[in-house]
Amino acid sequence: MLFENVRFLDTTLRDGEQTPGVALTSKDKVDIATKLDELGVDVIEAGSAITSEGERESIRAVVAEGLNAEICSYCRIMKPDVDYALACDVDSIHLVAPVSDLHINVKLKKDREAVRKMAIETTEYAKEHGLIVELSGEDASRADVDFLKSLYNDGVDAGADRLCYCDTVGLLVPEKAELVFSDICSAVKAPVSIHCHNDFGMGTANTIAALRGGAQQAHVTINGIGERAGNTALEEVVMTIEWLYKHKTGINTKEIFKTSRLVSRLTGIPVAPNKSLTGGNAFTHEAGIHVHGLLADTETYEPIKPEILGRERKIVLGKHAGKSSVTLAVKEMGFDVDDSQLHEILNRVKELGDHGKKVTDADLQTIAETVLSIEREAKVILEEYTVVSGNKVTPTASVKLKVEGQDVVEAGIGDGPVDAAFASIKKGVSGIADVQLEEYHVDAISGGTDALVEVLVKLSKDGKMVTARGSRTDIVMASVEAVLNGINRLI
């Protein structure tokens, strides 16, 4: 049956590190693997054991967590790779054999039969040592199909438990993917996986087409992270199957957004605002006509409810805001306004928007409280802060805060003075809130070294997100101001 019992092999931990500039610590990998396990993925490819001792330490750390998911190591068709994987006590290996003549002749400088022999011998060796083996054809979309099928069948005869078709540089198109998988799956004697790259933006479409053609497992990553243009995004495949094809996947979709944010934070790779499902704009609305429709029925401008992904709907206010937008936004803040008050709040919002300003949550709260003559005392007040930074000094910050009336002094270090300041503030408020910095943006409002800068931050606490602003000539103080404005809005 179509999409029945589809499995997910997540390669975020390995393919994510193929992205330039990404370097995950052992703790990072454990945190991501634990979250992937909560999501319900079937297999976690924790890395490539042959890479380094540090990589092996991180793989062993993931294995030691005792997760429900099968833990896998990437291996070449070489016995030393298998030995290193065995030393990490993984459950399985993703055994990758180059199958296109381009890869066989140019990269390996061998011929097809040499590759066949290496694949068979390495598969047998891994099976003799108790490993689950997924034999994968690298660059399969440019390989001779008859050779590929014969290699797969020889691999199964040697003990391979699963097979994988790798579209290594994203050359498949959906109609071809479905036909190829229909052919291969009927010709081999083991389940076949699909591993797509997104070079032409069709990773998800090709993965879905392969599953329609008979593939039983999809290789995916969180946020579509991976080398070059990335890999197929887990969230897109899961929600396409669940929402468009109406089949359950076994994935805990309410954890998708949290997992996306965790991976983005630990890898340092931001999620594009217009990214499907997990991007900041996916459930964000500004235009008055859209919000008016949402008030009548959220399905008018949303394909699914954000709660399904563990998200919240967001109303952004600016010059395009209408009465409906402001009504919904102030209602979500807990304010009860009459028509005249609503009209005044709307005018002030539009005035900010006309000056090119993005109206943050903290801005709207201030506007609403001013119009309603509400005086609110901040729960967290900055008494003083100090930062030390230099080319031979670890950036360090100390803060003295008044938190709910109590004096709190904390210090922190970071990659720079702003990062250190945030670390110290986060420690200072840890007794009442676990706050995460999700996004940080700086814009110079005027020119020169004494320019007035505007800092916009997005903070989260327990799944709730707010935006806040700070404006100063001192970038650190502007950042501190923005963060404190956001924290006071969150708590």
Side-chain angles (χ1 to χ4, degrees), residues 249-312:
T249 61
I251 295 295
N252 181 4
T253 63
K254 289 185 177 180
E255 294 298 317
I256 283 177
F257 187 62
K258 289 181 182 177
T259 309
S260 167
R261 290 296 169 181
L262 175 69
V263 170
S264 177
R265 178 166 58 85
L266 294 182
T267 61
I269 303 296
V271 178
N274 61 332
K275 165 74 173 65
S276 62
L277 301 168
T278 55
N281 293 346
F283 295 94
T284 298
H285 309 274
E286 177 178 352
I289 189 171
H290 280 204
V291 178
H292 180 73
L294 287 171
L295 287 173
D297 188 333
T298 58
E299 290 187 10
T300 52
Y301 290 103
E302 289 178 348
I304 61 174
K305 294 183 184 298
E307 295 82 5
I308 291 172
L309 298 164
R311 301 194 60 167
E312 292 181 347

Side-chain angles (χ1 to χ4, degrees), residues 79 82 86 93 120-133 158-161:
K79 291 180 182 179
V82 177
L86 287 165
I93 58 170
I120 292 171
E121 289 179 351
T122 311
T123 298
E124 290 174 339
Y125 182 74
K127 292 304 296 180
E128 287 168 4
H129 289 79
L131 290 169
I132 298 168
V133 175
D161 303 275

Side-chain angles (χ1 to χ4, degrees), residues 7 51 58 80 87 105 107 118 127 155 168 197 223 231 234-235 269 321 328 381 427 430 437 464 477 489:
R7 289 164 50 90
T51 301
S58 66
N105 300 332
K107 188 177 78 171
M118 293 170 68
K127 292 304 296 180
T168 301
H197 285 256
N223 300 332
N231 294 62
L234 175 144
E235 59 275 9
I269 303 296
L328 185 56
I381 300 171
K427 285 183 182 179
S430 61
L437 178 63
K464 180 181 180 182
M477 189 59 218
R489 171 74 183 91

Side-chain angles (χ1 to χ4, degrees), residues 61-86:
V62 171
V63 170
E65 289 297 300
L67 305 176
N68 293 318
E70 175 187 311
I71 307 302
C72 176
S73 173
Y74 177 97
C75 290
R76 298 168 299 176
I77 45 175
M78 300 175 69
K79 291 180 182 179
D81 286 38
V82 177
D83 289 333
Y84 278 117
L86 287 165

Side-chain angles (χ1 to χ4, degrees), residues 411-422:
I413 61 173
D415 292 332
V418 172
D419 191 37
F422 176 72

Side-chain angles (χ1 to χ4, degrees), residues 436-472:
Q436 300 292 334
L437 178 63
E438 300 289 347
E439 293 181 18
Y440 175 87
H441 301 283
V442 180
D443 289 304
I445 297 174
S446 57
T449 57
D450 60 346
L452 182 66
V453 297
E454 180 178 78
V455 174
L456 288 173
V457 298
K458 181 180 287 186
L459 304 174
S460 67
K461 170 184 168 289
D462 300 329
K464 180 181 180 182
M465 288 202 183
V466 299
T467 54
R469 173 201 326 273
S471 296
R472 299 286 180 121

